[in-house]
Amino acid sequence: MKTCLVVDDSKVIRKVARHILESLEFQVCEAVDGQDGVEQCETVNPDVILLDWNMPVMGGMDFLRAVRAKGQTAKVIFCTTENGLPQIEAAIAAGADEFIMKPFDRDMLQSKLELVGAA
């Protein structure tokens, strides 16, 4: 069974993502911010990371740089309301694999998982 780490400060987003991901037969772990996510990556080693852009303590970009620097190879899907081209380019340059806009549904998330080869 594949594992997905959901890194988002919104309890509602984590709950919705968990529900969708479990229906797609993923084991789901949750982190409340980037720092929590970095710590969980050290023990969980997820196949996929669903990552929020704006979070307290450590944001999505800092999280992404930190885990890539540590050799984390999980597919990363940014889940965000940020849709400007400069943000997308920066995320891809930092190691993100794909983007999904909030709010998202099962079909949208499944499509992105398929695009990164994780579904």
Side-chain angles (χ1 to χ4, degrees):
M1 179 177 280
K2 291 187 178 183
T3 303
C4 182
L5 174 61
V6 180
V7 185
D8 200 304
D9 60 319
S10 167
K11 186 175 184 177
V12 172
I13 294 295
R14 291 193 315 269
K15 183 176 180 178
V16 168
R18 174 180 286 278
H19 176 74
I20 292 169
L21 288 160
E22 287 178 345
S23 78
L24 296 171
E25 299 185 6
F26 277 84
Q27 180 179 351
V28 180
C29 302
E30 298 179 19
V32 298
D33 58 49
Q35 185 60 48
D36 185 22
V38 168
E39 292 167 7
Q40 289 202 39
C41 279
E42 293 173 3
T43 58
V44 174
N45 196 26
D47 298 295
V48 181
I49 300 169
L50 189 60
L51 178 62
D52 187 22
W53 187 280
N54 294 311
M55 295 178 285
V57 183
M58 178 187 278
M61 288 296 289
D62 291 334
F63 165 87
L64 183 55
R65 288 184 190 105
V67 297
R68 289 299 193 224
K70 292 182 178 195
Q72 176 57 253
T73 59
K75 298 295 184 183
V76 175
I77 301 173
F78 254 113
C79 173
T80 183
T81 58
E82 303 287 336
N83 65 354
L85 188 56
Q87 290 91 348
I88 294 170
E89 289 172 341
I92 298 299
D97 296 286
E98 194 53 70
F99 248 79
I100 191 168
M101 298 301 297
K102 292 179 185 178
F104 57 87
D105 61 20
R106 185 182 194 277
D107 291 339
M108 291 168 57
L109 183 54
Q110 184 173 14
S111 173
K112 295 296 182 174
L113 290 165
E114 289 170 359
L115 278 173
V116 301

